Structures are given as structure tokens and as C-alpha cells.
Amino acid sequence: QNLHNNTKEQMMKFEGEMQEIELFESSKEREAYDNLADLYAIILATEHLERAYARDAITQKKYTAECNKLISQFRLAEKAALGKTMTTETFMQVYQMDCPRAVHRLCRMGVPEQIRTTDAEEQVSVAVTVAETVQHFITTMDAVKLDQRSVDELQPLLSDLMDALTRLPETPNDFEPNCIIQQWLQKLNMMRAVDQIDEDDARQLYYDLDNAYTAFTRYLKSKK
């Protein structure tokens, strides 16, 4: 009985001495960890999506929709979580993330895997696609003229343009507009969301967009 009482007294004393452990010292610090967790989850989800698509475990339509959503979420999460402190690839090294497919999709390509389908029910009206492509060209070129220089401003515009271009029917694999836009997407995807292109790059981007648009109009004329 005495042993039991002594043990109980010791436990009560120990519990009284215990202090609550705070994982975060402030709400700001907690938000920072939440942002890192969001980025981690998006990268992991992209890796799983790419693997599922490679195994033909997901439809092309579902893959494209989910991939576009993850790419959009990634840009926002990257900016919120990393800011100017580190790159995504450095973040992945720190947290020992082995996600090569996600790196390729999010940090290199910036658009879903290009899919060409011959299924008539899956084809978007050519006229609508052409109209969308023209609008994306105009919007992107206007953005450059209006001195938009941040990666998180330009990358979504180029991504939308690339998506429209890849939906054009009967274009060759080395279609010049696609190659031009893809090169710029790869360049921007190597930068952080908060980074900005300099004036030389902005001038080159506008020049390349103009050339891509000229090649696009030549393509349209050849189809008449």
C-alpha cells in the first residue's frame, strides 16, 4: 500500500512539473509550417498523378484536369512557402523528397503532358480553339508590353497559351510556336515565383511571342 501511494505521489508530482510543449511559437510560424506542408503535399500528389498516368490508371481527360489544377496550386504554394529563401528543388532535397516526375512536370515543363486524341467526341471545335489561341497570344503580349515581369504573372499566361496551342489539330511535333513557348516555360519554371525577368529578357520574350504568332497565322493560312 505504501509503495502504491509513493508511486502515485511521484506520478502526480511529475505531471505537475510537466509543461505543455508548443509546436509553434506564434501564429505566423504556424502558418509558415502549414505553407510548407501544402507545398509538400502538392509535389507528392503530382508524383502520384504522373505515375498513375504512366501506368494508364487514369483517363487522359482526368489527368489533364488534375495536372492543370496541381500546377496552378503549385505556383501559389511555392510563392507562399518559399518566397525568396530557396528553390523548390532545394526544398525537396532538405525534406528528402524523391519525386523526379513531379520535378519534371512542375519545375521543368509547367504544363500537362501533351495529349493528342483522334476521338471526335474529345475534340474541341477548331474554330473555338483558334479563337482561344489568338486571345491568349494577345493577352500575353499585352502583359509584357504593360511591364509585367514577375514569374507568377507571366507563367500562367504562357501556360494557358501552350495549352491552347497543343489542342490545335494536325500540327507537327516541331511546330514552331509550341517550341518557342515551351522554351520560355522551361526558363520561367527554373525560376522562383517571386523572381522577375529583366528588361532584356522581356524584350526577347515579346520578340519571340511575335514570331510565334506569325508562325501560328501561317499555319492557319495553310489550312484554308
Side-chain angles (χ1 to χ4, degrees):
Q1 182 69 30
N2 289 337
L3 178 62
H4 176 74
N5 289 337
N6 289 338
T7 302
K8 186 175 181 181
E9 288 176 2
Q10 290 175 354
M11 290 181 64
M12 292 176 65
K13 182 179 179 181
F14 177 72
E15 289 174 356
E17 293 174 350
M18 287 181 64
Q19 296 181 351
E20 183 179 356
I21 299 175
E22 295 287 345
L23 295 178
F24 312 104
E25 295 183 358
S26 65
S27 59
K28 185 176 182 180
E29 185 177 348
R30 177 168 186 167
E31 182 181 0
Y33 277 104
D34 286 343
N35 290 335
L36 290 173
D38 289 342
L39 180 61
Y40 188 99
I42 290 167
I43 294 171
L44 201 60
T46 304
E47 181 71 14
H48 286 303
L49 178 66
E50 292 293 321
R51 288 181 180 180
Y53 181 64
R55 295 196 305 266
D56 203 24
I58 186 173
T59 65
Q60 294 179 347
K61 185 176 181 180
K62 182 69 172 176
Y63 162 78
T64 302
E66 290 299 318
C67 193
N68 275 322
K69 182 169 70 174
L70 285 168
I71 290 170
S72 177
Q73 291 173 337
F74 168 72
R75 280 297 162 200
L76 295 174
E78 182 189 44
K79 184 177 181 179
L82 305 184
K84 297 182 179 181
T85 59
M86 68 173 74
T87 65
T88 295
E89 292 185 68
T90 302
F91 166 81
M92 293 176 67
Q93 290 173 359
V94 170
Y95 291 95
Q96 300 180 347
M97 299 185 72
D98 184 21
C99 300
R101 294 174 178 83
V103 171
H104 177 74
R105 187 61 52 208
L106 298 173
C107 301
R108 300 284 186 273
M109 305 305 292
V111 291
E113 186 68 19
Q114 295 183 24
I115 299 169
R116 296 191 183 280
T117 176
T118 57
D119 187 349
E121 293 183 356
E122 295 292 329
Q123 289 285 5
V124 180
S125 166
V126 174
V128 173
T129 302
V130 168
E132 290 178 350
T133 306
V134 170
Q135 185 58 54
H136 288 311
F137 264 117
I138 293 172
T139 301
T140 307
M141 294 173 77
D142 283 349
V144 178
K145 283 198 295 186
L146 292 172
D147 294 331
Q148 290 188 22
R149 300 291 183 262
S150 298
V151 171
D152 60 350
E153 292 175 329
L154 295 173
Q155 196 275 346
L157 299 177
L158 288 167
S159 182
D160 288 342
L161 174 56
M162 187 67 189
D163 178 63
L165 285 167
T166 57
R167 287 188 280 113
L168 292 170
E170 300 177 9
T171 56
N173 292 332
D174 59 349
F175 189 42
E176 184 180 356
N178 290 20
C179 295
I180 291 173
I181 304 307
Q182 187 63 68
Q183 287 173 358
W184 274 102
L185 277 171
Q186 290 176 356
K187 179 181 177 68
L188 295 184
N189 288 333
M190 293 294 292
M191 301 168 67
R192 295 166 300 181
V194 295
D195 289 341
Q196 292 189 339
I197 62 174
D198 59 27
E199 289 306 311
D200 288 342
D201 277 342
R203 186 172 181 177
Q204 186 64 49
L205 174 56
Y206 189 86
Y207 176 79
D208 288 345
L209 284 168
D210 189 52
N211 283 341
Y213 186 71
T214 300
F216 168 69
T217 56
R218 282 200 306 266
Y219 158 80
L220 295 181
K221 292 177 182 178
S222 71
K223 294 301 176 182
K224 290 183 179 178

